[in-house]
Amino acid sequence: MSTYVASILRTVEIIMSSKYLIAFTGAGISAESGVPTFRGSPDSLWSRFKPEELATPEAFLRNPRRVWEWYVWRMSIIKKAKPNDAHLGLARLEELGILKCVVTQNVDGLHSRAGSKYIIELHGNIWRVKCSNPSCNYKAILEDIPKEIPPKCPYCSSLLRPDVVWFGEPLDPEIWDRAVNEASKADAILVIGTSGVVYPAAYIPLIVKERGGKVIEVNISESGITPYADVFIKEKASKALRDIVRLCEERINARKAST
Ligand code: OAD
């Protein structure tokens, strides 16, 4: 039996006997949908662009047009992208009652488009905007890519900014608390396509591990999570999820047939 097959079988065993499985995803789950990752290859975003020029509050103050141009470019990629079998597989596991929640670092909205219902977006969503004026609470969901950039707040005329977490900014405490609460309940976590180096997000699988839960990782290369993963599936997310979901469905059907 290949290492791959053995790790998929072990994964199915863990998740079928888990009481509270959650998923933790990163940019790698959307790579096969054509959305660039941040790290890990020469065309990753942080190999090509400087985060301090594009993804900090200071960068936005200095040059909001430049920041918006970059977000409009990313939005045009994401708009064309379709959820792949890994996003769809997580939605199916939720539908089957196996997966309880997806905690994602991604801002692309592909989990929701795949049909997942309970999603916690730690780093915001690229299709939402908020007013950059801290005393204005305006927030909106964009229907499409903004035609005029930088867009302005309809209430106070300050500039609108993407409702995403930038370097140097804290996570929304309510969203973080929900994610920690899910991780504290979980007895297993499926970690997919993350380098596991950005904190506090990368604490989520660690919380599950420290409370005695099992950590299953799917990644094409080793990450910050790999040293403590109970199962490491070295494979593309879409293939691994297709195989996991198929075997879970087979087990469920076999259980039904025997009762
Ligand atoms: P990264 O870009 O840091 O890591 C992507 C991971 O996905 C790498 O470990 C790759 O090996 C893996 N990968 C690539 N293609 C894959 C595939 N087809 N199947 C499985 N794995 C694959 O992305 P994140 O860990 O999500 O933060 O990055 C974390 C945060 O850093 C992002 O949310 C963003 C960024 O700065 C903010 O914007 C605040």
Side-chain angles (χ1 to χ4, degrees):
M1 191 191 295
S2 72
T3 315
Y4 173 72
V5 171
S7 57
I8 292 286
L9 290 176
R10 175 82 184 113
T11 296
V12 171
E13 201 181 293
I14 292 171
I15 69 180
M16 290 304 289
S17 59
S18 69
K19 292 196 169 52
Y20 206 93
L21 172 73
I22 66 169
F24 177 65
T25 65
I29 195 169
S30 299
E32 292 167 80
S33 297
V35 182
T37 60
F38 293 93
R39 304 169 186 81
S41 80
D43 27 286
S44 301
L45 295 175
W46 298 151
S47 311
R48 298 170 58 195
F49 305 101
K50 290 188 176 149
E52 61 276 19
E53 286 176 9
L54 298 163
T56 66
E58 295 77 21
F60 187 73
L61 275 178
R62 263 196 318 268
N63 195 344
R65 174 169 291 277
R66 170 80 187 100
V67 171
W68 263 110
E69 277 167 357
W70 191 63
Y71 275 90
V72 161
W73 171 71
R74 287 178 60 199
M75 284 171 163
S76 67
I77 295 173
I78 291 167
K79 190 179 168 183
K80 278 186 259 155
K82 290 195 179 68
N84 64 53
D85 283 348
H87 302 102
L88 296 169
L90 290 182
R92 179 70 181 138
L93 289 178
E94 183 179 348
E95 195 178 40
L96 290 169
I98 298 170
L99 182 70
K100 303 298 187 277
C101 166
V102 177
V103 179
T104 188
Q105 298 163 91
N106 299 346
V107 299
D108 57 29
L110 288 176
H111 284 301
S112 161
R113 283 171 57 195
S116 284
K117 299 277 182 291
Y118 188 25
I119 307 163
I120 300 177
E121 292 176 320
L122 291 177
H123 292 161
N125 188 301
I126 201 165
W127 297 107
R128 284 198 317 253
V129 285
K130 62 180 181 185
C131 185
S132 60
N133 172 0
S135 53
C136 174
N137 288 326
Y138 181 78
K139 280 192 177 210
I141 296 173
L142 293 174
E143 276 167 20
D144 208 340
I145 301 171
K147 298 223 164 27
E148 292 196 9
I149 52 165
K152 291 213 174 111
C153 176
Y155 287 173
C156 74
S157 300
S158 303
L159 296 184
L160 293 178
R161 54 162 281 181
D163 190 4
V164 298
V165 176
W166 282 331
F167 285 96
E169 292 184 319
L171 304 193
D172 178 323
E174 230 172 84
I175 290 175
W176 177 244
D177 284 352
R178 275 172 54 208
V180 170
N181 185 39
E182 290 300 321
S184 308
K185 285 191 281 189
D187 57 358
I189 184 165
L190 204 43
V191 180
I192 308 170
T194 178
S195 54
V197 294
V198 173
Y199 287 86
Y203 282 125
I204 294 299
L206 207 49
I207 293 170
V208 177
K209 180 77 181 182
E210 281 173 352
R211 295 177 61 94
K214 296 277 188 245
V215 176
I216 302 153
E217 182 182 27
V218 179
N219 200 312
I220 51 170
S221 50
E222 295 196 359
S223 75
I225 315 291
T226 320
Y228 65 88
D230 296 280
V231 183
F232 177 56
I233 305 173
K234 193 169 191 213
E235 184 49 85
K236 286 187 176 173
S238 63
K239 171 164 174 46
L241 265 291
R242 269 198 304 275
D243 289 338
I244 292 167
V245 171
R246 182 175 44 80
L247 288 178
C248 286
E249 285 174 334
E250 277 176 24
R251 298 276 167 100
I252 290 169
N253 290 337
R255 268 187 205 166
K256 276 189 199 147
S258 69
T259 52

